[in-house]
């Protein structure tokens, strides 16, 4: 068996049809996993599944709003009746730009429902079955969970919660053979970043892209595939001694910025 193989593993990836999630779905399928993509955007979900299958991989799309507990529970239960869920990747999330004064109550509710409750819903739905034979839960946090970033009040709050939920689950389920870790990316070049720049800096797209890239000490944004490679390792048997740990993938941002 090759290193970092996910052969015969069933993986659930939320938000698995765009950006980092898409890269993770494709990387997992490339390593032999049967990937179940839980995604709000049906068009993207079907596209990514088609691209995975075209390369000989195994994947299935499930239309899902992770903030809907009933929906998540039904989908996870249906997947679990077909095969044992070995891996859960909680990647689905939304962003918000604004400081405390620029964050309305509805903004807080929206961020909470997707970024915090969504992670809870998925972990809660899978944990009782995963206790039977063990497994891996990988949560997508952010550097915003551990360092101050301007105008990211609600987003930072939510990712801080993801980080501490990770530690809690890792501690509580050690004896069940369940490993729980998180990844904290810095700026990663995804379609979301391009859309954000286009919306907020019309006519200055190239200038802002360069500025955001240079804000990373390493001099560029990360690539979704680089995060996906780390996710493959952390969900593989080669990482069997790792749990309760957060992995920054940040181009030196946390330790070298300032």
């Amino acid at each position: 068996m090759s290193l970092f193989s996910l052969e015969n593993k069933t993986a659930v990836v939320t938000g698995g049809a765009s950006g980092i999630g898409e890269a993770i779905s494709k990387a997992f399928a490339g390593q032999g996993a049967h990937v179940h993509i839980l995604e709000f955007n049906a068009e993207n979900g079907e596209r990514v599944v088609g691209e995975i299958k075209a390369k000989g991989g195994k994947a299935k799309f499930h239309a899902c709003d992770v903030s809907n507990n009933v929906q998540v529970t039904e989908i996870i239960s249906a997947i679990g009746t077909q095969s044992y869920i070995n891996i859960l990747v909680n990647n689905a999330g939304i962003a918000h730009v604004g400081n405390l004064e620029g964050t309305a109550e509805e903004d807080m509710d929206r961020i909470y429902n997707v970024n915090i409750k969504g992670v809870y819903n998925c972990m809660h739905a899978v944990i009782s079955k995963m206790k039977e034979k063990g497994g891996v839960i990988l949560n997508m946090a952010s550097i915003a969970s551990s360092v101050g970033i301007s105008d990211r009040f609600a987003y930072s709050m939510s990712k801080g919660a993801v980080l501490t939920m990770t530690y809690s689950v890792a501690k509580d389920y050690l004896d069940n053979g369940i490993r729980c870790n998180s990844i904290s990316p810095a700026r990663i070049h995804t379609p979301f970043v391009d859309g954000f720049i286009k919306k907020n800096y019309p006519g200055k797209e190239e200038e802002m892209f360069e500025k955001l890239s240079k804000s990373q000490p390493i001099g560029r944004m990360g690539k979704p595939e680089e995060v996906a490679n780390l996710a493959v390792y952390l969900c593989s048997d080669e990482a069997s001694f790792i749990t309760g740990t957060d992995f920054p993938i940040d181009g030196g941002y946390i330790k070298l910025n300032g």
Side-chain angles (χ1 to χ4, degrees):
M1 184 178 290
S2 61
L3 282 174
F4 317 126
S5 172
L6 301 179
E7 199 73 36
N8 300 318
K9 300 285 181 71
T10 295
V12 173
V13 182
T14 72
S18 64
I20 292 172
E22 177 178 347
I24 290 174
S25 295
K26 290 178 175 178
F28 279 20
Q31 293 301 109
H34 185 175
V35 181
H36 290 266
I37 296 173
L38 274 56
E39 171 66 46
F40 189 78
N41 187 308
E43 183 179 352
N44 280 351
E46 297 289 2
R47 172 184 59 80
V48 173
V49 166
E51 291 173 1
I52 288 173
K53 288 183 175 180
K55 291 188 175 182
K58 295 172 287 186
K60 186 174 181 179
F61 163 64
H62 306 265
C64 183
D65 174 2
V66 295
S67 70
N68 186 319
N69 184 274
V70 172
Q71 194 176 104
V72 168
T73 301
E74 289 177 349
I75 292 171
I76 294 291
S77 178
I79 296 170
T81 60
Q82 300 169 12
S83 57
Y84 186 83
I85 298 174
N86 306 98
I87 300 166
L88 168 65
V89 178
N90 283 305
N91 171 76
I94 56 176
H96 177 262
V97 177
N99 61 14
L100 173 61
E101 295 169 289
T103 303
E105 182 180 3
E106 54 266 32
D107 297 324
M108 285 291 288
D109 290 343
R110 184 173 62 93
I111 290 290
Y112 171 84
N113 285 335
V114 177
N115 292 8
I116 299 177
K117 187 184 174 189
V119 173
Y120 159 80
N121 286 341
C122 294
M123 291 198 296
H124 192 266
V126 80
I127 198 73
S128 61
K129 290 291 290 183
M130 191 175 277
K131 286 165 64 178
E132 295 177 6
K133 295 188 289 185
V136 182
I137 296 174
L138 180 63
N139 297 323
M140 199 60 60
S142 166
I143 59 168
S145 63
S146 55
V147 297
I149 297 179
S150 300
D151 290 326
R152 295 295 187 278
F153 175 76
Y155 180 77
S156 298
M157 172 276 299
S158 70
K159 292 302 183 178
V162 170
L163 186 63
T164 51
M165 283 193 289
T166 297
Y167 296 151
S168 182
V169 169
K171 180 71 171 180
D172 287 340
Y173 296 95
L174 276 170
D175 292 340
N176 301 108
I178 296 172
R179 298 190 296 108
C180 187
N181 295 297
S182 59
I183 293 176
S184 284
R187 185 82 62 183
I188 306 297
H189 186 200
T190 65
F192 172 83
V193 171
D194 292 334
F196 172 81
I197 293 174
K198 184 176 181 179
K199 177 183 177 181
N200 292 280
Y201 304 98
K204 297 182 178 179
E205 288 87 351
E206 289 188 17
E207 176 185 340
M208 286 308 301
F209 183 86
E210 185 72 13
K211 183 177 180 179
L212 291 174
S213 298
K214 291 292 177 61
S215 70
Q216 316 302 303
I218 207 168
R220 66 171 177 84
M221 296 187 202
K223 302 174 184 177
E225 293 76 16
E226 291 173 312
V227 182
N229 290 339
L230 178 56
V232 167
Y233 168 66
L234 290 174
C235 293
S236 71
D237 291 341
E238 280 72 22
S240 61
F241 198 57
I242 300 174
T243 193
T245 305
D246 180 59
F247 289 82
I249 181 165
D250 64 353
Y253 190 94
I254 291 177
K255 297 295 186 182
L256 305 179
N257 206 356

